Amino acid sequence: MKIALIGYGKMGKTIEEILVQRGHEVVLKISRTPLPEELTEVEVAIEFSRPEYAYDNLKVLLENKVATICGTTGWLDKQNEVNQLAIANHTAFLYASNFSLGVNLFFELNSILARMMNKYRNEYQINLEEIHHTQKLDAPSGTAITIAEGIIDNSTYNSWSMEEKASDVIPVEAKRIEDVPGTHIVQYTSEVDTIEISHIAHSRKGFALGAVIAAEWIWNKHGVFTMKDVLELN
């Protein structure tokens, strides 16, 4: 495939290495909003930029009928609009807060555990913690938000918050520490024990490989998709 990398930072460079290893051609790599004339050869775009640039990038890509996967977090107030752009332009769009295979399996495990633990809301206090490096701009992470939403969808919790304390609110902690791998922990604590699941990323390669697999999967498709579709977890 001919791929555009929109956002050519550390993640973009790691994705490029995997793309080349898997026989794909990177025809565009930029850290700004692409111009329509730069997209004539592009078959799939992989967008890993910054929250303030993501919408403009996605708008140009989808209006020019470029199938796009996006791993940028912090812009989701406009996700419905972007989804509609993909549909209106007869192309494909896939957003994921995290492309790692392990994290997407963790999402499923989190949902199952939430359904089980909901019967024991009175006995166990829930807590969600995420830890990232100090260069991480958004807090909580998009992955933590997806985890919280997975709990809400499978329990009687109504929302999540980093500040509000209430019985129907999932408390979320976001920590920023130098050179720490991405870590997400869901914990249920009672007076007598603690039940905990966690995911710890060891490198960017897991996220990058997942993004490449998603790009390979979305080629020549039309519609709005998630990693559940890619990994057949639906």
Side-chain angles (χ1 to χ4, degrees), residues 73 95-99 103-104 106-107 110 128 130 132 136 138 140-150 183-184 199 207:
T73 58
Y95 165 77
S97 61
N98 196 309
F99 282 94
V103 165
N104 282 277
F106 182 82
F107 288 156
N110 171 63
L128 170 55
E130 61 99 338
H132 281 87
K136 177 81 172 161
D138 52 325
S141 67
T143 302
I145 292 172
T146 301
I147 292 168
E149 290 173 344
T183 299
H184 294 86
H199 180 275
F207 309 108

Side-chain angles (χ1 to χ4, degrees), residues 81-185:
E81 189 174 342
V82 169
N83 290 348
Q84 290 305 311
L85 278 172
I87 293 167
N89 288 283
H90 307 289
T91 188
F93 177 66
L94 187 156
Y95 165 77
S97 61
N98 196 309
F99 282 94
S100 160
L101 171 61
V103 165
N104 282 277
L105 294 173
F106 182 82
F107 288 156
E108 294 301 302
L109 179 61
N110 171 63
S111 296
I112 294 168
L113 182 59
R115 286 196 295 273
M116 294 172 61
M117 296 303 297
N118 194 51
K119 299 176 183 178
Y120 308 100
R121 279 277 309 271
N122 294 332
E123 285 77 26
Y124 285 87
Q125 171 62 48
I126 191 172
N127 188 68
L128 170 55
E129 179 181 341
E130 61 99 338
I131 309 169
H132 281 87
H133 52 79
T134 52
Q135 288 75 42
K136 177 81 172 161
L137 297 178
D138 52 325
S141 67
T143 302
I145 292 172
T146 301
I147 292 168
E149 290 173 344
I151 296 168
I152 292 166
D153 289 343
N154 291 279
S155 71
T156 51
Y157 287 100
N158 292 323
S159 62
W160 62 267
S161 177
M162 295 177 64
E163 299 173 356
E164 182 184 353
K165 305 294 183 184
S167 61
D168 61 348
V169 176
I170 302 166
V172 179
E173 296 180 69
K175 299 179 180 179
R176 297 294 176 264
I177 301 171
E178 285 286 349
D179 299 323
V180 71
T183 299
H184 294 86
I185 303 167

Side-chain angles (χ1 to χ4, degrees), residues 15 18 48 69 94 98-101 104 204-216 227 230-231:
I15 291 171
I18 295 173
F48 273 82
I69 71 159
L94 187 156
N98 196 309
F99 282 94
S100 160
L101 171 61
N104 282 277
R204 290 185 181 85
K205 289 184 178 179
F207 309 108
L209 177 60
V212 172
I213 290 171
E216 293 170 341
M227 283 299 286
V230 177
L231 300 176

